[in-house]
Amino acid sequence: MPENKNESVKWDAQLRKGTLELAVLAAIHKRAMYGLEMLNYFHLFDTMQITEGTLYPLLDRLKRERLLAASWQQEGEQRPRKYYSLTKEGHQKLNELKARWLRSVEDLQQLLNSPTIEEGHHYE
Amino acid sequence: MSERKQIRNYLNNLSRYLSPLQDIEAQEVVKEIESHIYDVIDDVEVKGGVADVEAILDRFGPPRELAQQYIGHIQQGTPPPEGFKAISIVKKGLSRTVYLGLMCFGYFIGIACIALGFANLLLPGSIGIWSEANGNTVVIGMLDNPVLVQETVGVVQGLWLSPVALILGYLILLMTHKVLKFVRQFSIGQHYV
């Protein structure tokens, strides 16, 4: 069982390579979030168990690509936090990636439902 | 090692590896990560637990690898040779001081030489390069009363000092300018290429 679990985690990591960017854009498309807040939010989802070492450099890259804007904010006694929000380009990118993602889910779904699989046909 | 010291160490190392970034960018990265670490610790402590600092730092990964992800876009694929990283780290601390020092020194000497050349045209005879005690003492400059130094040996004196000083001054200025330009390109290349 632990081996299976391990395999799943690897698969999740592989899959996330392309989708994490979409996940970040989606997470903050309604309101700005700071890193830890975003991380805790992702951790609510089974397949989104990412680490700090993955998230922060990604945020930095997206900011460099002008998809995100960042600003330091301090509330009361709390230490200052860097909040990320979507720029106009970020919103556009989110829509593009979202459309592409939905298309890819649809395609995969069709492949999975394809009768050739059910009937056990193999293509050489 | 105390937890605070452990965190400090981690952040210091990170900061060192981030040296190819501009200071302000690197500081921001470090500040954000520091804020995250202490936020996590606070969250745990508020719930009455004890934060595992090592585990938190582990999740960020080794400072060098973390930094690599922040500076990868600057280094553009081809990894620099081994010693290069050390140079860029050393450069970070030195560059500003060395740059300004070089600038002041080079331009000052260059301008001084040129000024000497021009002054010599106005006051020939009182400016020169003298050497005394068989070359153990060399004096370059302007003397009010050259008669006082008659015992010394004038090495370069008279009107022909002017072209020498002017050319020398020009060469020093040119060289300073070129070196500064190179230093500038080198450090800007690191940030924006």
Side-chain angles (χ1 to χ4, degrees), chain B residues 115-181:
Chain B
L116 192 74
F118 278 114
N120 186 50
L121 291 176
L122 300 174
L123 307 159
S126 58
I127 289 175
I129 300 173
W130 294 275
S131 119
E132 200 173 6
N134 295 328
N136 283 336
T137 308
V138 176
V139 179
I140 307 173
M142 195 160 104
L143 293 174
D144 275 344
N145 190 356
V147 182
L148 289 177
V149 289
Q150 263 174 0
E151 283 170 24
T152 62
V153 185
V155 178
V156 186
Q157 231 175 331
L159 274 178
W160 70 276
L161 178 88
S162 286
V164 173
L166 289 178
I167 290 169
L168 191 69
Y170 173 73
L171 287 179
I172 290 173
L173 286 182
L174 190 74
M175 207 163 72
T176 307
H177 181 71
K178 290 229 155 132
V179 170
L180 290 178
K181 197 169 151 196

Side-chain angles (χ1 to χ4, degrees), chain A residues 52-53 56 79 81-82 84, chain B residues 28 32 36 39 42 59:
Chain A
E52 284 84 339
Y56 281 102
R79 61 177 62 81
R81 288 158 173 169
K82 197 177 176 183
Y84 294 90
Chain B
E28 203 175 322
E32 183 178 27
H36 176 105
D39 262 353
D42 284 356
R59 293 203 297 269

Side-chain angles (χ1 to χ4, degrees), chain B residues 102-117:
Chain B
L102 191 69
M103 192 164 84
C104 294
F105 182 76
Y107 285 143
F108 176 78
I109 300 282
I111 288 168
C113 278
I114 288 174
L116 192 74

Side-chain angles (χ1 to χ4, degrees), chain A residues 12-28 38-39 42-43 45 47-59 61-62 68 94 97 101, chain B residues 69:
Chain A
D12 288 348
Q14 286 284 339
L15 196 60
R16 260 200 316 265
K17 272 191 184 144
T19 56
L20 192 55
E21 184 174 335
L22 174 58
V24 168
L25 297 178
I28 56 170
M38 216 183 295
L39 195 78
F42 283 143
H43 284 178
F45 303 91
T47 60
M48 290 281 158
Q49 304 299 310
I50 59 165
T51 62
E52 284 84 339
T54 308
L55 180 63
Y56 281 102
L58 175 65
L59 292 174
R61 176 169 69 81
L62 296 179
L68 305 187
L94 173 62
L97 291 184
W101 167 255
Chain B
Q69 299 187 72

Side-chain angles (χ1 to χ4, degrees), chain A residues 34-36 39-40 51-54 56-57 59-60 63-64 70 72 79-82 84, chain B residues 28-29 31-36 38-40 42-43 56 59-61 66 69-71 73:
Chain A
Y34 60 96
L36 178 58
L39 195 78
N40 288 338
T51 62
E52 284 84 339
T54 308
Y56 281 102
L59 292 174
D60 184 65
K63 189 175 144 244
R64 254 185 289 118
W72 286 91
R79 61 177 62 81
R81 288 158 173 169
K82 197 177 176 183
Y84 294 90
Chain B
E28 203 175 322
V29 171
K31 187 175 155 198
E32 183 178 27
I33 288 170
E34 182 179 25
S35 158
H36 176 105
Y38 284 110
D39 262 353
V40 173
D42 284 356
D43 283 354
I56 300 171
R59 293 203 297 269
F60 277 101
L66 182 61
Q69 299 187 72
Y70 281 97
I71 61 178
H73 66 287

Side-chain angles (χ1 to χ4, degrees), chain B residues 66-109:
Chain B
L66 182 61
Q68 193 58 43
Q69 299 187 72
Y70 281 97
I71 61 178
H73 66 287
I74 297 171
Q75 293 174 336
Q76 269 203 339
T78 43
E82 267 303 303
F84 194 82
K85 267 181 200 149
I87 291 173
S88 85
I89 289 165
V90 170
K91 179 190 79 67
K92 191 71 175 177
L94 286 180
S95 64
R96 211 152 292 158
T97 327
V98 168
Y99 185 86
L100 288 174
L102 191 69
M103 192 164 84
C104 294
F105 182 76
Y107 285 143
F108 176 78
I109 300 282

